[in-house]
Amino acid sequence: MSANEVHWVEPTEAPARPTSDSQSISDHYYSLLYDTINNCCTSRTVIRGDGTFAQDEKSNHPSLLLYDRLQYLYSDYCRSVAEKLDSLPDDQLFHVYALRWGRYTAAATRLDKLFSCFNGNWTRNQHIAKRDSVFTVGMLARVTWKQHVYQHLVERGRDSFIYEALINQIEQYRNGHDVDTAVLEQAIDSYGMSWSISRTF
């Protein structure tokens, strides 16, 4: 089978919605979202710039349009986080950064599960076709954070404040002092993610 052929994995029913999801989204609506995403994977109809429909125009395939939209939304949100961090004094940066990262990745994990069919089909086909700039929905969120939040702090020389605060918190914890372990874990996770992505690229 050639790299350009479609490798389709038949989806099962929508994955169970995590209990931590916002209760403003009903189970029925969650299933509708899953079905809509699944339809993007299977549809052969594409959308032209003028809103009309055509066949086999890969650049306008619904899956690609959906991926591009997700990438835009992630980038837009991460830029807003970077702007918020810019307004903070140095002594508040570590705590807010870690909390924002924790909330962001929790949401990204839920989205990744919702997009499991998308990840297992369209995204996987892009990898088979050697399009290395395409990521699963969860990894796309993390790559975007590194590009627009972490790298933003590096360029402004403020990443050192987070690193120094992280080391200080670890030392406090090792010495038996009370620390906010939830914040500490999120900060460690963020640094681990940045290091892992740097090695990948």
Side-chain angles (χ1 to χ4, degrees), residues 15-18 21 25-34 114:
R17 182 162 60 94
D21 275 4
I25 300 179
S26 67
D27 290 336
H28 175 66
Y29 186 62
Y30 184 85
S31 294
L32 288 177
L33 285 173
Y34 181 83
L114 180 62

Side-chain angles (χ1 to χ4, degrees), residues 14-200:
R17 182 162 60 94
T19 55
S20 59
D21 275 4
S22 171
Q23 294 304 310
S24 63
I25 300 179
S26 67
D27 290 336
H28 175 66
Y29 186 62
Y30 184 85
S31 294
L32 288 177
L33 285 173
Y34 181 83
D35 289 342
T36 301
I37 295 165
N38 177 35
N39 289 338
C40 281
C41 296
T42 59
S43 175
R44 292 185 177 180
T45 302
V46 295
I47 306 171
R48 294 195 181 102
D50 59 3
T52 59
F53 297 93
Q55 300 289 331
D56 299 325
E57 294 181 15
K58 293 182 180 179
S59 63
N60 286 330
H61 190 279
S63 292
L64 179 58
L65 296 176
L66 178 58
Y67 185 87
D68 286 346
R69 183 61 179 170
L70 274 171
Q71 193 169 31
Y72 170 79
L73 291 173
Y74 278 147
S75 297
D76 190 55
Y77 177 79
C78 286
R79 280 191 289 265
S80 72
V81 172
E83 291 176 3
K84 171 66 176 177
L85 295 177
D86 276 345
S87 68
L88 295 175
D90 295 338
D91 60 347
Q92 295 180 19
L93 187 60
F94 171 78
H95 190 267
V96 175
Y97 176 88
L99 288 178
R100 285 294 189 117
W101 166 256
R103 288 198 294 265
Y104 178 76
T105 52
T109 298
R110 293 194 293 271
L111 276 176
D112 194 61
K113 188 169 186 178
L114 180 62
F115 278 75
S116 59
C117 171
F118 185 88
N119 289 333
N121 289 281
W122 184 80
T123 303
R124 187 168 68 92
N125 290 334
Q126 303 308 301
H127 292 166
I128 292 172
K130 306 301 182 183
R131 298 185 180 98
D132 296 332
S133 61
V134 174
F135 306 97
T136 62
V137 170
M139 180 55 72
L140 176 63
R142 288 159 174 78
V143 169
T144 306
W145 178 278
K146 183 178 187 296
Q147 291 173 338
H148 294 292
V149 180
Y150 182 76
Q151 198 59 39
H152 178 83
L153 293 172
V154 171
E155 290 170 359
R156 281 157 177 72
R158 302 192 75 200
D159 60 307
S160 60
F161 293 106
I162 297 177
Y163 179 75
E164 290 168 5
L166 174 59
I167 296 301
N168 178 263
Q169 288 288 295
I170 292 173
E171 290 176 349
Q172 293 290 323
Y173 181 75
R174 286 176 174 173
N175 292 332
H177 299 294
D178 290 335
V179 299
D180 190 331
T181 54
V183 171
L184 180 58
E185 287 172 0
Q186 295 299 344
I188 292 172
D189 181 59
S190 173
Y191 263 85
M193 175 277 304
S194 297
W195 181 80
S196 176
I197 291 176
S198 296
R199 284 179 59 88
T200 301

